[in-house]
Amino acid sequence: MKVVRDTWLVYARAMKLNIKQPVWLIVMLVQPIYFLFLFAPLLEPMDGMPGFENGAMETFVPGLIIMMALFGSAFVGFGLIAELRQGVIERMRVTPVSRTALMLGRTLSTVTTTLFQALALVLLAALTGRLDVYWPGVGLMLLIVLLTAFMLAAVSLGLAIILKSEDAMAPVINTLVQPIMLISGIMLPMIMAPSWLQNVAEFNPFYYAVQASRELFAGNIDSPFVWQAPVILGALTILLVWWATRKFARAVA
Amino acid sequence: MLIETKGLKKTFKSRGKSVEAVRGVDLAVKEGEIFGLLGPNGAGKTTTMRILSTLIEPTEGAATVCGHDLAKEAAKVRRDIGYVGQHGGTWGEVTAREELVLQGRLYDMSKRRSQERAAEVLESFQLAEYADRNVKTYSGGQKRRLDIALGIMHEPKLLFLDEPTTGLDPQSRAHMWDEVRALRDRGTAVFLTTHYLDEADALCDRLAIIDHGEIVVEGTPNALKRQVAGDVVAIGVNGAPEGALALLRGKDFVREAEAGEPDPATGIALLRLYVDDGAAAVPELLRALDAEDIAPASIELHRPSLDDVFLKQTGRSLREEK
Ligand SMILES: Nc1ncnc2c1ncn2[C@@H]1O[C@H](COP(=O)(O)OP(=O)(O)OP(=O)(O)O)[C@@H](O)[C@H]1O
Ligand SMILES: [Mg+2]
């Protein structure tokens, strides 16, 4: 099918660009590594306390992985703005290439790099020997990472098409991502929050992503979060990918 | 006809203000010709070209491109055209070969076919030597050649070139002209924009002059120049030109006369006189000026140029715009 073939072509180009700039793949890992070594030890005395029943590290590391997926993909729009400015997108839009593929190919390349980074982080955390990992759960957790990256990359690309400038994009992304991150319970579990904040968090799809990751990491497969997260994220991903694709098709760039 | 447009209009709306970039363009481009759209900055050249290449929709009007209706059959139009934007379409850490092969594949070529065609195109645009180097290391001329190579990977019937030679040195420009002519000779029609008078004159089989979003005139360069009857005499005078202008306008062999503002640096103002027979007119003009004690700073006789065409139609010179 044309969409599949074109998506593959756009994806391959984006991946080639990623591989030619390996520094970025590592830079995206630096922040979580700092958190792992310089912040996580602060939580160790919390082991077994409310919110940390699965263990301090076992609670923190899955959240950290979702955070990385969040930040890694929310900023891909910046690369698109550079390409818009250089006429690369315009050049492709006059070819018969599928408009959906232009968007999907790029999004999927971000998903791929994010999955690699997530895996690297899990391995690194496991190597520290300070946490127990339930490996079958990690597989499912990667699905949640995939959906998170897919969704945010699409949002970021759609916004890039609308805003067309890095200067406009940076504040919008920051305003969006910071609160999402804070009320998802990534740094500290939401159970420690006052009840009004907990209520707000229940409307944050990434709260479910973080909770589900924690349960999977600990092997609590029958927790309701484990099915809630993929359903919520999946529905949102479909919606937002559809939205971003439309933006791509009609973009006046 | 390869392109036929009827009353194309495009109004941009941004922040409550609206800009009428194109206001009623009617054009016809024939198979196998080099057609030029000549106009000053902001005239609407790029906007017209982006409408015709399916990148933006016109606010009003209709067009057929390569026999397909622009509004209803955009996908078919895309297969038949190539488009090279004003600022190119490549960047950064990709090589010319990679981009060319991808371009071919976006037009549904097989990988093998696309690789062969890329090698061919690299050769004919003298890019083979740099083919596997990152585009960001290219010189302006090399990059421009790659832009055009990308536009013709799929051997389109019609190639759009937005200012193909802007920013090139004279030698690269001459090369580019040869490339464009070679494309035409192989049967590709070329629709290009330019704000260079000599380029429009030397390269285009036919051209249209556009100003403020409207086509002012259309025709072959020679036919357009013939519209400006006879010869042009340009006389430089010191100071305010009004006196000399009134005097020379009074002569019955002067068909039309115009004066520019005095140049701030030299204080010399340029008078342009359109006369039937330049050689006979010059001595008469000198005598008339002498009788009034006006000493001309310079005098020049030439055949009408496209600038004279533009000047006659719009009252402004294209040269002064730059
Ligand atoms: N996306 C846009 N939004 C608002 N105004 C626009 C847009 N694109 C073009 N314009 C305006 O439309 C007019 C025509 O622009 P256009 O780019 O077509 O001119 P041009 O003839 O190609 O000029 P140049 O020689 O400088 O390339 C200009 O006044 C320009 O500012
Ligand atoms: Mg332009």
Side-chain angles (χ1 to χ4, degrees):
Chain A
M1 237 172 51
K2 184 163 171 58
V3 182
V4 177
R5 178 180 179 276
D6 286 355
T7 302
W8 166 250
L9 292 172
V10 175
Y11 172 81
R13 179 178 186 275
M15 283 311 285
K16 211 180 272 173
L17 278 168
N18 280 338
I19 290 164
K20 282 191 184 180
Q21 293 266 14
V23 189
W24 278 107
L25 304 184
I26 295 165
V27 167
M28 290 315 297
L29 269 174
V30 168
Q31 196 200 17
I33 287 173
Y34 280 160
F35 272 85
L36 189 62
F37 288 100
L38 306 180
F39 179 76
L42 272 68
L43 295 173
E44 276 182 28
M46 315 284 276
D47 213 275
M49 309 242 301
F52 293 94
E53 291 88 352
N54 298 339
M57 290 300 275
E58 287 79 357
T59 304
F60 182 66
V61 169
L64 192 60
I65 287 165
I66 297 296
M67 182 174 88
M68 191 189 60
L70 224 100
F71 278 101
S73 45
F75 287 90
V76 292
F78 286 93
L80 180 68
I81 289 175
E83 290 207 313
L84 276 170
R85 187 170 302 127
Q86 302 292 337
V88 180
I89 305 301
E90 191 165 274
R91 180 189 109 214
M92 293 188 178
R93 282 179 58 238
V94 282
T95 73
V97 69
S98 145
R99 317 282 114 167
T100 310
L102 279 183
M103 215 288 301
L104 275 185
R106 256 159 246 273
T107 313
L108 290 175
S109 94
T110 306
V111 170
T112 309
T113 52
T114 308
L115 283 176
F116 269 109
Q117 288 161 341
L119 206 57
L121 201 60
V122 176
L123 292 176
L124 210 68
L127 282 177
T128 63
R130 285 188 301 194
L131 74 166
D132 295 325
V133 182
Y134 177 69
W135 290 101
V138 168
L140 276 173
M141 189 196 68
L142 287 180
L143 173 73
I144 290 173
V145 169
L146 180 149
L147 289 171
T148 302
F150 208 138
M151 172 171 155
L152 275 167
V155 171
S156 183
L157 293 175
L159 283 175
I161 292 265
I162 295 172
L163 299 170
K164 295 191 190 74
S165 101
E166 286 92 345
D167 296 343
M169 181 94 172
V172 172
I173 294 284
N174 265 321
T175 319
L176 217 70
V177 174
Q178 296 289 0
I180 285 180
M181 187 198 85
L182 289 172
I183 56 167
S184 64
I186 284 176
M187 305 306 283
L188 297 170
M190 286 315 287
I191 204 154
M192 301 170 77
S195 63
W196 68 268
L197 201 54
Q198 285 188 31
N199 293 338
V200 176
E202 284 183 13
F203 290 94
N204 180 0
F206 298 101
Y207 165 69
Y208 296 88
V210 171
Q211 290 301 344
S213 298
R214 286 184 177 144
E215 301 296 0
L216 286 167
F217 222 75
N220 303 330
I221 301 284
D222 48 4
S223 153
F225 286 119
V226 170
W227 66 264
Q228 282 167 348
V231 168
I232 293 171
L233 290 175
L236 274 172
T237 301
I238 290 170
L239 196 73
L240 289 164
V241 167
W242 171 78
W243 169 78
T245 307
R246 264 176 49 118
K247 288 288 156 211
F248 250 84
R250 339 187 100 223
V252 178
Chain B
M1 285 296 159
L2 220 46
I3 302 182
E4 259 184 307
T5 77
K6 248 181 105 82
L8 282 188
K9 284 190 189 161
K10 181 71 190 182
T11 307
F12 288 108
K13 292 207 173 57
S14 56
R15 311 235 157 106
K17 278 205 286 186
S18 64
V19 183
E20 293 183 23
V22 173
R23 12 182 161 190
V25 162
D26 298 300
L27 282 177
V29 177
K30 296 179 198 147
E31 325 250 325
E33 72 176 354
I34 301 177
F35 183 91
L37 198 55
L38 172 70
N41 287 139
K45 303 184 293 294
T46 299
T47 307
T48 305
M49 197 172 261
R50 295 180 71 216
I51 293 173
L52 292 176
S53 53
T54 76
L55 282 169
I56 51 177
E57 287 173 7
T59 316
E60 260 181 64
T64 55
V65 177
C66 297
H68 312 297
D69 185 275
L70 195 58
K72 296 193 199 101
E73 303 172 298
K76 286 186 181 160
V77 171
R78 286 189 196 117
R79 295 214 165 263
D80 288 346
I81 62 164
Y83 168 86
V84 179
Q86 188 167 352
H87 305 290
T90 59
W91 173 66
E93 316 269 337
V94 288
T95 71
R97 195 187 304 279
E98 286 166 356
E99 287 289 75
L100 285 165
V101 172
L102 172 72
Q103 186 82 355
R105 304 212 65 204
L106 292 181
Y107 283 100
D108 292 340
M109 284 183 203
S110 71
K111 189 166 186 181
R112 205 129 154 248
R113 173 76 195 107
S114 193
Q115 281 166 342
E116 284 165 11
R117 174 74 182 145
E120 219 173 281
V121 167
L122 283 165
E123 201 58 52
S124 70
F125 281 84
Q126 295 137 43
L127 286 167
E129 202 180 317
Y130 329 103
D132 299 302
R133 221 165 73 186
N134 281 345
V135 170
K136 70 172 182 193
T137 66
Y138 284 20
S139 76
Q142 290 162 353
K143 190 165 172 296
R144 206 67 189 131
R145 293 210 296 279
L146 173 59
D147 291 336
I148 297 181
L150 284 163
I152 59 151
M153 260 305 277
H154 60 299
E155 303 180 72
K157 278 192 211 159
L158 168 65
L159 178 64
F160 289 99
L161 292 177
D162 200 354
E163 304 206 5
T165 65
T166 301
L168 296 191
D169 63 34
Q171 202 191 346
S172 311
R173 260 182 99 200
H175 263 295
M176 191 61 81
W177 289 5
D178 288 340
E179 299 291 354
V180 172
R181 289 191 187 108
L183 283 173
R184 176 205 40 205
D185 297 343
R186 271 179 263 138
T188 305
V190 179
F191 182 114
L192 61 86
T193 70
T194 180
H195 57 249
Y196 294 124
L197 294 157
D198 55 338
E199 181 160 290
D201 205 345
L203 186 58
C204 299
D205 299 318
R206 270 175 352 103
L207 62 102
I209 295 181
I210 187 170
D211 189 36
H212 295 305
E214 283 171 305
I215 302 291
V216 188
V217 279
E218 185 183 337
T220 66
N222 283 330
L224 292 181
K225 285 183 286 186
R226 266 200 306 276
Q227 283 181 3
V228 185
D231 296 325
V232 183
V233 184
I235 302 176
V237 294
N238 274 306
E242 282 76 19
L245 184 64
L247 172 73
L248 298 178
R249 243 188 204 148
K251 299 288 163 199
D252 52 8
F253 59 86
V254 175
R255 286 179 161 223
E256 262 176 83
E258 276 152 353
E261 291 293 310
D263 185 305
T266 61
I268 292 172
L270 214 56
L271 298 173
R272 276 173 180 272
L273 311 174
Y274 297 96
V275 299
D276 284 328
D277 181 355
V282 169
E284 296 248 10
L285 290 169
L286 285 175
R287 224 170 301 150
L289 289 170
D290 196 45
E292 296 293 316
D293 275 339
I294 304 173
S298 66
I299 187 157
E300 203 184 290
L301 172 65
H302 65 86
R303 304 282 311 147
S305 68
L306 286 176
D307 197 28
D308 295 304
V309 177
F310 189 79
L311 191 69
K312 191 170 166 225
Q313 299 285 346
T314 67
R316 289 173 297 120
S317 167
L318 254 177
R319 283 218 177 84
E320 288 161 12
E321 300 269 339
K322 287 192 283 167

